[in-house]
Amino acid sequence: MRRALLVQAALVAAVALAIGWFWYNAAHNLETRKIASGFAFLAREAGFEIGETSGLAYSAADTYLRALAIGLANTFRVAAIGVVLATVLGVLLGLARLAPNWLLARLAGAYVEFVRNVPLVVQLFFWYALISENLPGPREALEPLPGVYLTNRGIFFPLPGSRPELVGFNFEGGGALSPEFAALLVGLTTYTAAFIAEIVRAGVLSVPRGQRDAARSLGMSERQALSYVVLPLALRAIVPPLTSQYLNLTKNSSLAVAIGYPDLVSIANTTINQTGQAIEGIAIIMAVYLTLSLSISAFMNWYNRRVALKGVRA
Amino acid sequence: MNAATWRGLAAAVALLAPGALFAQSTLDAVRAKGFVQCGVNTGLAGFSQPDSKGVWRGLDVDLCRAVAAAVFGDASKVRFTPLTAQQRFTALQSGEVDVLARNTTWTITRDTSLGLNFVGVNFYDGQGFMVHRKLNVKSAKQLNGATICVQPGTTTELNLADYFRANRMTFKPVVIEKLEEVLNAYFAGRCDVFTTDVSGLVSVRGSRAPNPADHVILPEVISKEPLGPAVRHGDDRWFDVVKWTLFAMIEAEEMGLTSKNIDQALASKDPAVQRFVGATGDIGKMLGLDNRWAFNIVKQVGNYGESFEANLAPLGFERGLNQLWNKGGLLYAPPIR
């Protein structure tokens, strides 16, 4: 017992020493090569514009801190909507794979195999090219529904009290989805949904057949057996791996830089480049993703405990 | 993670290593490994771009070759690292490249806070705007509300915001790191405008546009962009080598020395030429180089004018500001004596 404690203490000391050594070297190297360090730059004027701001106010006269917050808001927006849409699409696909209808099951299977075996960044380029190269410019916009315009500048739609109108170069007013946001959202949703479909399928299959048979023998219909017995049991197998898919989607949203969506990584990269402070910039990116991921995990763990069978050890 | 983030991480990790790694002089390190590692643009016609045989060509590339000629007497002892705008400074800071010759604007912020030193200017430039001809825009003042494609981590991005603020106009930026991707977005009509240095606009319009006549470069030049090579801060010897390599190319043009006639110059009676080619004096030794360093540069790479004619003139560039001082331009090398 005593010896174990000593080993533990030695380990902690070694880790602390290593960190201290890295810290000292970094500070020394930055100092000798006259590279600025510290977080004072966060309060300085950013000086660059950001294409979309998730409804928050921002101008080039704001600080780097504000710019990074806009980046975080953009990451959060695409991840939150993506998680919801990917879950819906994934559950539908997973159930479709188990459907008695041969064609439906095969189509869903083909979708899953195709989408999850093509790199996500390639899919993002595909969706982005589809929007920016195939849709017409704002002056020749498509209008599939009254007041809804499809252009290579994005999708514009009316909101209560405000309709999009062509002013000069572009549409103003109403609501808008930029091509970058739309491509990223579609890409993340369709990609993650393929993985969620497999998790749902595995979860449903993990419920012993006897459970369903028992429900049927009690007089439940197939649909009732599925929604009252099979799915609630399957949920317990689904939630833990689902958590890691939510984390993946959130982290994958950093591929946004490839297609120009101003997410946190994109803004942080620009900040690193304008200020030259790579260590601080990378530290901010890591801290933010760690916080986001741990928050998602904590929420999903709470939810997992809530749906767990009481008194049964998983 | 994308490449820029990886490089950022790599730089961060390199900075965690002991200081001894950087205590060695760059000149000694370059001699020991046998080649100069040069950071260049990923592909900008006229400045640095591989030709159809995969050989790097361009004004910046020639400067890299000239440094190799000065150090080794062999212009081929150079390796190129293609860098995006975002990757370039971390690549230099972390020691991945010895010289950064990547159409990079010299500013006080970069000179003082990024841990690098600019050795001089090899191209005087300014920022401009290119628009689709069908928009019928004649002046940058008409760009209020436009969507503008721009690369991140550039002075361009900052000047753009400044210009629109100063003129009380607004714009929507589309910011993409890779030149290919940002140009695709502009050519596809995702943006009304593409902005970068005028040299970059002329270069991409001539070499990348599906139909160059569909694009107009607006008359306004909104900034000064002196582009120059840079080295790491704190190594004065290497700084001198790269700086005087650039000056030697400019001085050679002023003296009328070219790759064709430099052999005859060895027998010249002109004392200035004798010093330049290393027939007399010990200027090379003062730099820690072979005494024929400048001869080797001109013989193997050529003078500044030859490099300009070979790389930029075919794309339609005029000498303009990049003419010698005694011919109406800004190029001026201090005396080599």
Side-chain angles (χ1 to χ4, degrees), chain A residues 21-22 25-26 28-30 32-36 45-51 60-61 125 128 132-133 139 152-153 169-170 178-180 257-260 265-266 269-270 273-276 278-279 282 285, chain B residues 2 5 8-9 12 15-19 22 85-86 89-90 93 112-115 135 137 142-147 152-154 157-158 161 165 171-176 181 188-192 232-233:
Chain A
W21 186 71
F22 282 135
N25 280 329
H28 180 74
N29 284 339
L30 290 172
T32 49
R33 288 191 287 145
K34 299 273 175 282
I35 298 175
E45 181 182 291
F48 56 86
E49 285 290 348
I50 300 176
F125 281 132
Y128 188 52
S132 64
E133 300 199 14
R139 293 181 192 180
N152 59 11
R153 303 298 162 81
F169 291 99
N170 210 341
S178 74
E180 292 78 23
V257 283
I259 55 169
V265 175
S266 164
N269 276 345
T270 299
N273 212 254
Q274 301 294 5
T275 62
I279 293 184
I282 298 284
I285 295 177
Chain B
N2 71 324
T5 316
L9 199 60
L15 290 168
L16 300 176
F22 297 102
Q86 286 204 328
F89 299 124
T90 34
Q93 287 169 349
T112 55
S113 71
L114 294 188
L135 291 176
V137 170
Q142 296 172 282
L143 292 178
N144 193 17
T147 302
T154 54
E157 203 183 2
L158 304 178
R165 267 163 86 183
F171 70 101
K172 281 244 172 251
V174 173
V175 180
I176 305 181
E181 303 299 336
R190 170 68 184 94
C191 299
D192 302 301
R232 270 184 298 284
H233 184 101

Side-chain angles (χ1 to χ4, degrees), chain B residues 50-277:
Chain B
D51 66 12
S52 57
K53 296 192 188 77
V55 180
W56 286 90
R57 303 267 175 221
L59 193 75
D60 285 336
V61 165
D62 278 354
L63 184 99
C64 297
R65 292 220 166 87
V67 173
V71 174
F72 296 107
D74 182 351
S76 69
K77 289 192 170 166
V78 57
R79 292 189 192 170
F80 297 99
T81 305
L83 299 168
T84 69
Q86 286 204 328
Q87 296 163 350
R88 56 188 164 179
F89 299 124
T90 34
L92 185 64
Q93 287 169 349
S94 63
E96 193 179 338
V97 298
D98 304 310
V99 183
L100 181 70
R102 194 207 165 279
N103 54 304
T104 298
T105 305
W106 183 356
T107 69
I108 188 168
T109 308
R110 289 173 173 178
D111 213 347
T112 55
S113 71
L114 294 188
L116 49 83
N117 282 339
F118 285 87
V119 305
V121 177
N122 70 338
F123 194 91
Y124 287 93
D125 212 338
Q127 182 175 344
F129 297 102
M130 178 160 77
V131 299
H132 295 276
R133 184 179 294 279
K134 63 172 191 262
L135 291 176
N136 208 21
V137 170
K138 299 281 179 261
S139 154
K141 296 271 162 56
Q142 296 172 282
L143 292 178
N144 193 17
T147 302
I148 302 184
C149 277
V150 61
Q151 286 181 281
T154 54
T155 47
T156 312
E157 203 183 2
L158 304 178
N159 296 334
L160 176 66
D162 282 358
Y163 182 78
F164 276 73
R165 267 163 86 183
N167 287 289
R168 297 177 181 284
M169 301 193 295
T170 61
F171 70 101
K172 281 244 172 251
V174 173
V175 180
I176 305 181
E177 184 187 3
K178 285 255 178 349
L179 183 65
E180 289 77 14
E181 303 299 336
V182 77
L183 285 174
N184 282 345
Y186 166 73
F187 290 135
R190 170 68 184 94
C191 299
D192 302 301
V193 184
F194 175 60
T195 182
T196 187
D197 299 339
V198 173
S199 64
L201 296 177
V202 172
S203 167
V204 299
R205 183 172 66 170
S207 65
R208 308 262 188 143
N211 181 9
D214 288 345
H215 306 278
V216 186
I217 296 173
L218 299 179
E220 286 87 353
V221 174
I222 66 167
S223 68
K224 290 187 290 186
E225 307 286 337
L227 311 182
V231 296
R232 270 184 298 284
H233 184 101
D235 186 343
D236 288 357
R237 242 176 114 203
W238 183 244
F239 177 66
D240 286 344
V241 167
V242 180
K243 177 171 58 183
W244 285 98
T245 297
L246 172 61
F247 285 147
M249 291 180 78
I250 296 170
E251 182 72 1
E253 184 180 7
E254 192 179 332
M255 295 168 94
L257 300 174
T258 68
S259 55
K260 309 276 182 313
N261 69 18
I262 189 89
D263 281 325
Q264 288 92 292
L266 280 176
S268 168
K269 297 279 180 288
D270 183 338
V273 173
Q274 285 184 336
R275 274 195 302 274
F276 186 87
V277 298

